[in-house]
Amino acid sequence: MNTLGNRLKVTVFGQSHAPSIGCVVEGLPAGFAPDMERLNAFMARRAPGRNGWSTPRQERDKPEILSGLVEGRTCGAPVAMVIRNSDQHSRDYSGLRRTPRPSHADYTATVKYGESYDIRGGGQFSGRLTAPLCFAGGLALQLLERQNVTIAAHIDRIADISDTAPDFARVSQPDLAALLQKPFPVFSDEAGIKMRQAIEAARMDCDSVGGVIRCFAVGLPAGVGEPMFAGVENRLAGALFGIPAVRGVSFGTGFAAAGMRGSQHNDPLVMEGGRVATRTNHAGGAVGGITNGMPLVVNVAVKPTASIAKEQDTVDLETGEPAKLVIHGRHDPCIVPRAVPVVEAVTALTLLDMLPRG
């Protein structure tokens, strides 16, 4: 299943080393004129080869819009877009059918698809497929702004280094606007320096590190979502797990709530500016699957990059014997920074799909 959404649908297609990747976006309102300069800048945050903490693979990630826009405005037809791949080193992946990489989809995809599986660059399982998601999500972010909804994420943790956590109940749109101006999105610049040092240390050791991304949505009205299986948390968690390398999703205080008493975790109701609010926001902006008007807070755990240059144990699928593997190629020592806009994009697409249309 490569399609996300109900009324607003995004279908992603392509493989890491195919001639192109892309998406089809259905359900955008007619007459919307996207700011392409802002959209390209948003996609550049995810693109590889832009800084010292990402893979050296060079891709322009410039979207070519094939349909759906007339004179710069949506016309009601699906918006179809492609991104041409230009910097593939497919030879780096020869032999991996026989000796699958640990913590990659090589083995499971081979079991499911057999010899037909495109193993180059991870094929359809590659993080390269998040580029079209950022295109679609960038459109959604601009449409959400029209409804006074702002979405931004920060790097809450890399390895064992944590960023300063804001007050979940008081995080504001100016806070998020300031965060979006930073090339390395953290509230504490000092913590950001230490995080980058941890990434570099892992790279020098032929290893990798993971982390946690925390995403905020400010300006959401109360009442969005459904109980049981169509709650805002359900929809977001399902969509966010579609991002490669995501290993956990929680909301507000998340798993720390398990160690709290009810008197600590409960969010007291108060009146603020003529509306119902909560003094704290341990719930993360949703109760019973429905938004309560407080900032939505979603935490996304990202595993360490699976492609590392250290020698690892695997098996030879032809002989059934143990084997050693050294992964060649160009890989991120930490994918967390480049995953930040992807989390923002998927959050925006999911929330825009759930919001009532005016």
Side-chain angles (χ1 to χ4, degrees), residues 245-320:
V246 168
R247 302 306 301 157
V249 177
S250 70
F251 295 85
T253 303
F255 279 86
M260 301 169 69
R261 290 190 171 190
S263 56
Q264 297 172 306
H265 185 265
N266 290 350
D267 297 314
L269 296 170
V270 295
M271 294 298 299
E272 287 186 358
R275 71 176 185 92
V276 176
T278 59
R279 187 175 300 129
T280 55
N281 190 18
H282 295 295
V287 179
I290 302 169
T291 58
N292 61 4
M294 297 299 289
L296 188 72
V297 184
V298 55
N299 312 295
V300 181
V302 179
K303 72 178 183 180
T305 312
S307 293
I308 59 175
K310 284 182 179 291
E311 185 178 75
Q312 300 178 81
D313 292 325
T314 185
V315 295
D316 186 319
L317 296 181
E318 291 189 10
T319 66

Side-chain angles (χ1 to χ4, degrees), residues 95-178:
L96 294 182
R97 288 189 186 281
R98 182 168 177 171
T99 53
R101 297 167 293 178
S103 293
H104 285 75
D106 296 346
Y107 172 66
T108 54
T110 298
V111 171
K112 188 171 184 67
Y113 302 115
E115 295 279 327
S116 300
Y117 166 50
D118 182 4
I119 203 167
R120 303 168 303 164
Q124 71 192 76
F125 299 92
S126 170
R128 182 91 186 105
L129 274 295
T130 59
L133 271 179
C134 281
F135 171 83
L139 296 175
L141 285 164
Q142 293 186 30
L143 285 166
L144 284 169
E145 286 180 358
R146 294 182 169 191
Q147 301 187 50
N148 200 36
V149 176
T150 302
I151 292 175
H154 77 119
I155 301 172
D156 176 56
R157 188 168 81 246
I158 283 179
D160 59 351
I161 302 158
S162 297
D163 190 19
T164 301
D167 183 341
F168 293 171
R170 301 291 174 262
V171 64
S172 66
Q173 289 176 327
D175 293 333
L176 301 188

